[in-house]
Amino acid sequence: VDGDGKRSRPTAAVVARTAQVSRVAVSRAFNPDASIRPEKRAHILRVAQQLNYTPDMAARSMATGRSHLVALIVPDLSSPWEAQEVDAMTAALQDAGFATLVFRTRDDFSFDEKLLTYMKGFNPDSVISYAENVRPGHLARGVTRAVPVYVCYPEADPGTTADGGYLFDRLDVRMRAAFEAAIARMQAAGARRFALLSGKAASLATAARAQLVRSLLAARGLPPPDEIAGDYSYDTAARAVLAYVRAGGRADAIVSANDVGACGAVDALRHGLGLRVPQDVQVLGFDDIRMAHWQSYDLTTLQIDVAERTAALMRLVRRRLDEPAAGPLTETIAARLVVRGTA
Amino acid sequence: VDGDGKRSRPTAAVVARTAQVSRVAVSRAFNPDASIRPEKRAHILRVAQQLNYTPDMAARSMATGRSHLVALIVPDLSSPWEAQEVDAMTAALQDAGFATLVFRTRDDFSFDEKLLTYMKGFNPDSVISYAENVRPGHLARGVTRAVPVYVCYPEADPGTTADGGYLFDRLDVRMRAAFEAAIARMQAAGARRFALLSGKAASLATAARAQLVRSLLAARGLPPPDEIAGDYSYDTAARAVLAYVRAGGRADAIVSANDVGACGAVDALRHGLGLRVPQDVQVLGFDDIRMAHWQSYDLTTLQIDVAERTAALMRLVRRRLDEPAAGPLTETIAARLVVRGTA
DNA sequence: TTGTATGCGTTATCAC
DNA sequence: GTGATAACGCATACAA
């Protein structure tokens, strides 16, 4: 038992003294690119391990200007999609030598000045924002060292392309082809009246998807969709769909802003209203969260491959770090239709 | 557009010069406890805001010995329970002025020396481990500055109480009363043969729960439970339950190590085997994840209140920070039975 | 390849 | 209350 309250970590100086070398040598031993005699490095590393020494990242950050920290800003970490995303990114970042710093926006999606200021203090090497209404300009203005990476849906969200002229990198997610395929399939299966189950009202992503679907429906000569107001949650979706049908809504196809809402819709239709899915009403989700393939739902949905997405984001992070002064970087990935049992 | 590659943040010195004060004054202005004339502080804060200045946490960390970083070690961030937990803790930590550092163990639950070393470098003020086989001793030996907080289930996990004599704090989760209530209820509803659907083999938590359930069943004169090998996942659980029943397994009550597995069991029973839940087979979950109340499952389960748990963890973190040399700290919380439709 | 000197941005100590 | 000075632990430019 180490009962003393000391608990201080050994410094490079201690390692140097123990290994009978200079302080700089220790530093070099831990920097792969530094030139040092291999045997000497090995010796130092051995001593360091014995002493349980680790370079202090804070000190290293001050000296090099790199924190090895990447900040992730998410609206609700507990929702399946965000969870999956943070999980994948954390794994990828860990492999690349970065630690993940997680920040949550408030329930209203706001990421206020205070939080931004606070985050900035940690000097993240990169900031990745999934929070759909944390505008890149807001971020770019605040984060002076790192260049923010912004995940967006440009097909119906032109505002994000030029946001105050601030520099930020982008991951563009194309959804048109996948939505087109999904709607064609639903129409072929007999769908005539569509309804749009939205996410949170403030959400840019939900607006982008809604606008895209509306234009696709119009292009096919289908009537404009009914609007069902959701908020990405299961409960609200279930209640809203129940209310919609009871109020006389007659849609035979529901396009949900996310999978969780789609699950709520399916349950409301089946258990609350005694309707059959997909025979009476088809349901389309978005995200392809893990529960989408659970047998009780077996959700037809749109997927953006996690591996593909994290790889693209990591490319953005790395490229920006290699060339800090580069112009805006962009990666593009596309959603895919995953056909299962609800549409 | 700031096209130059500079992007450097203003320092306290710059603020001091602009505000016509000394560097120390700036530091004091940002430290609530420091003594400084209110008007002067306001002035400095105003100038700082204009200059978009934020204290550098790395530098602050070096000077004060506090990083304002709390590390969370989780096995799989994408599973609903962990996601909910990280979400709640991140929110609580953010409110308390800490940033959340997330680390993932590998798929086999391992948190190797390399990762531990790496984490240590960030000097987290506290380390909270949910990874069930990252033993506290392992952690305490590695993390010299912070005292690890360990979440454990002591009723059937005596090994964790004294782990190498290293100092660590504990959150004890009591499950006996809740399990006792659940089993009594299931027995009253007609259950005679129980089966245990386990989590990952290496998991300490699953072992603790299994042992507890076995002893409770024995105490009631019920036969020892059948063992169904799961791994916390939906797919494995569904497959395992299917195989169990097809091989002649006749349990009329399944106790799952977690909710996700319980959902897999329910689906396998209903859709794969045409059995009724709970009439033919009762199913009990653990965790009370959000999906547990989705109508397709309506899972009876054991809950450990999130708010209560995060509050307890925050108390541990704060107390340890206030008194670094204190002896081992412990908080205790209890699981609760949540009765729904599957048991 | 190696060591010396200096700087990174902040807070703590100590005088005043 | 205020300001000078010395840490904090590391990496780098430079000279050797």
Side-chain angles (χ1 to χ4, degrees):
Chain A
V1 186
D2 56 352
D4 57 346
K6 279 292 254 109
R7 302 189 68 76
S8 70
R9 297 179 28 204
T11 72
V14 176
V15 176
R17 209 177 312 133
T18 313
Q20 311 268 31
V21 298
S22 71
R23 262 170 249 106
V24 233
V26 176
S27 176
R28 285 199 241 268
F30 277 89
N31 192 325
D33 300 331
S35 59
I36 183 176
R37 196 153 33 95
E39 334 146 21
K40 192 169 191 175
R41 161 173 286 151
H43 171 58
I44 295 178
L45 256 33
R46 199 165 31 240
V47 172
Q49 174 132 19
Q50 269 172 352
L51 260 47
N52 201 9
Y53 164 82
T54 311
D56 184 319
M57 296 307 268
R60 181 177 272 186
S61 171
M62 285 189 56
T64 61
R66 304 222 136 159
S67 62
H68 290 262
L69 251 29
V70 171
L72 260 42
I73 306 179
V74 289
D76 174 12
L77 194 35
S78 72
S79 80
W81 188 85
E82 270 89 358
Q84 197 176 323
E85 182 71 13
V86 173
D87 184 60
M89 279 306 294
T90 299
L93 287 169
Q94 234 167 249
D95 286 345
F98 294 98
T100 309
L101 216 43
V102 177
F103 291 94
R104 260 197 53 164
T105 57
R106 306 209 171 278
D107 292 333
D108 63 348
F109 279 2
S110 78
F111 192 70
D112 51 29
E113 218 56 51
K114 211 180 107 221
L115 202 48
L116 182 60
T117 299
Y118 194 62
M119 185 188 74
K120 199 172 38 161
F122 288 100
N123 264 325
D125 287 340
S126 183
V127 177
I128 300 178
S129 167
Y130 297 95
E132 331 177 36
N133 72 342
V134 177
R135 303 297 294 242
H138 185 190
L139 234 48
R141 186 163 35 82
V143 188
T144 35
R145 193 158 92 177
V147 174
V149 178
Y150 196 67
V151 180
C152 58
Y153 305 85
E155 284 158 329
D157 183 17
T160 52
T161 48
D163 194 327
Y166 285 99
L167 180 65
F168 59 95
D169 301 324
R170 261 171 36 207
L171 177 63
D172 284 354
V173 182
R174 309 271 157 177
M175 309 172 293
R176 177 177 286 274
F179 263 124
E180 170 63 26
I183 290 172
R185 188 186 162 82
M186 293 168 96
Q187 187 178 15
R192 290 298 170 264
R193 294 192 56 161
F194 281 75
L196 232 44
L197 174 58
S198 68
K200 279 208 168 123
S203 160
L204 260 47
T206 208
R209 288 169 207 172
Q211 193 179 322
L212 177 58
V213 170
R214 271 192 289 267
S215 79
L216 288 174
L217 291 177
R220 298 189 148 265
L222 288 164
D226 292 344
E227 309 273 350
I228 307 177
D231 63 359
Y232 288 133
S233 81
Y234 173 95
D235 290 331
T236 302
R239 260 197 308 270
V241 168
L242 217 56
Y244 166 77
V245 174
R246 288 200 174 136
R250 288 287 162 263
D252 49 17
I254 297 180
V255 175
S256 174
N258 69 337
D259 280 351
V260 173
C263 288
V266 168
D267 278 345
L269 292 167
R270 283 186 185 148
H271 302 114
L273 297 161
L275 293 170
R276 293 167 308 161
V277 177
Q279 295 88 341
D280 299 326
V281 182
Q282 301 184 60
V283 175
L284 177 70
F286 194 100
D287 285 344
D288 194 30
I289 60 176
R290 258 180 231 175
M291 292 94 226
H293 90 273
W294 287 11
Q295 288 176 64
S296 287
Y297 297 102
D298 195 33
L299 212 60
T300 297
T301 188
L302 300 195
Q303 174 203 66
I304 307 161
D305 187 67
V306 199
E308 201 180 323
R309 195 172 50 229
T310 57
L313 284 173
M314 289 305 295
R315 275 196 299 274
L316 286 177
V317 170
R318 255 192 275 250
R319 253 191 283 158
R320 173 59 63 191
L321 250 36
D322 288 345
E323 206 177 335
L329 266 31
T330 305
E331 286 272 348
T332 303
I333 57 178
R336 254 193 297 277
L337 171 62
V338 178
V339 177
R340 293 205 187 89
T342 62
Chain B
V1 186
D2 56 352
D4 58 346
K6 279 290 257 118
R7 302 188 68 75
S8 69
R9 297 178 29 204
T11 71
V14 176
V15 176
R17 210 177 311 134
T18 314
Q20 313 267 31
V21 297
S22 70
R23 260 170 259 114
V24 230
V26 177
S27 175
R28 283 199 245 268
F30 277 89
N31 192 325
D33 300 332
S35 60
I36 183 176
R37 197 155 30 97
E39 336 146 22
K40 190 167 190 174
R41 160 173 287 154
H43 171 58
I44 294 177
L45 256 33
R46 200 165 30 241
V47 172
Q49 175 130 22
Q50 271 172 351
L51 261 47
N52 201 9
Y53 163 82
T54 311
D56 185 318
M57 295 306 270
R60 181 176 273 184
S61 171
M62 285 189 58
T64 62
R66 304 221 137 160
S67 61
H68 290 261
L69 250 30
V70 172
L72 260 43
I73 305 178
V74 290
D76 174 13
L77 195 34
S78 72
S79 80
W81 188 85
E82 270 89 358
Q84 196 175 324
E85 182 72 11
V86 173
D87 183 60
M89 280 306 294
T90 299
L93 287 169
Q94 235 167 248
D95 286 345
F98 295 97
T100 310
L101 216 44
V102 177
F103 291 94
R104 261 197 52 163
T105 57
R106 308 208 171 279
D107 292 333
D108 61 349
F109 278 2
S110 79
F111 193 69
D112 50 30
E113 217 57 51
K114 209 181 109 221
L115 201 49
L116 181 61
T117 299
Y118 195 61
M119 183 188 75
K120 200 172 39 164
F122 289 99
N123 265 323
D125 288 340
S126 184
V127 176
I128 301 178
S129 167
Y130 297 95
E132 331 176 36
N133 71 343
V134 178
R135 304 297 296 241
H138 185 190
L139 235 48
R141 187 162 34 82
V143 188
T144 35
R145 192 158 95 178
V147 175
V149 178
Y150 197 68
V151 180
C152 59
Y153 305 85
E155 284 158 331
D157 183 18
T160 52
T161 48
D163 192 328
Y166 285 98
L167 180 64
F168 61 94
D169 301 324
R170 260 171 35 204
L171 177 63
D172 284 354
V173 181
R174 307 271 157 178
M175 311 171 291
R176 175 177 288 273
F179 263 123
E180 170 63 25
I183 289 171
R185 189 186 159 82
M186 292 169 95
Q187 186 178 17
R192 291 297 171 263
R193 294 192 56 161
F194 282 75
L196 233 43
L197 174 58
S198 68
K200 278 208 171 123
S203 158
L204 258 48
T206 209
R209 289 169 205 171
Q211 192 179 324
L212 178 58
V213 170
R214 273 193 287 268
S215 79
L216 289 173
L217 290 177
R220 298 189 148 264
L222 288 164
D226 292 344
E227 310 273 349
I228 307 178
D231 63 0
Y232 288 133
S233 82
Y234 172 94
D235 290 329
T236 303
R239 260 198 306 271
V241 168
L242 217 56
Y244 166 77
V245 174
R246 288 203 173 132
R250 289 284 163 265
D252 49 18
I254 297 180
V255 175
S256 173
N258 69 338
D259 280 352
V260 173
C263 288
V266 168
D267 278 345
L269 292 168
R270 284 189 183 146
H271 301 114
L273 298 161
L275 293 170
R276 293 168 308 161
V277 177
Q279 295 88 341
D280 298 326
V281 182
Q282 301 185 60
V283 175
L284 177 71
F286 194 99
D287 285 343
D288 196 30
I289 61 176
R290 260 181 227 173
M291 293 92 224
H293 90 273
W294 288 11
Q295 288 176 65
S296 287
Y297 298 103
D298 195 32
L299 212 60
T300 297
T301 188
L302 300 195
Q303 174 203 66
I304 305 159
D305 187 69
V306 199
E308 199 180 323
R309 194 174 49 227
T310 57
L313 284 173
M314 289 305 296
R315 276 197 298 275
L316 286 177
V317 170
R318 254 192 276 250
R319 252 190 284 158
R320 172 61 62 191
L321 249 37
D322 288 344
E323 207 176 335
L329 266 30
T330 304
E331 286 274 347
T332 303
I333 59 178
R336 255 192 296 278
L337 172 62
V338 178
V339 177
R340 292 206 186 89
T342 61

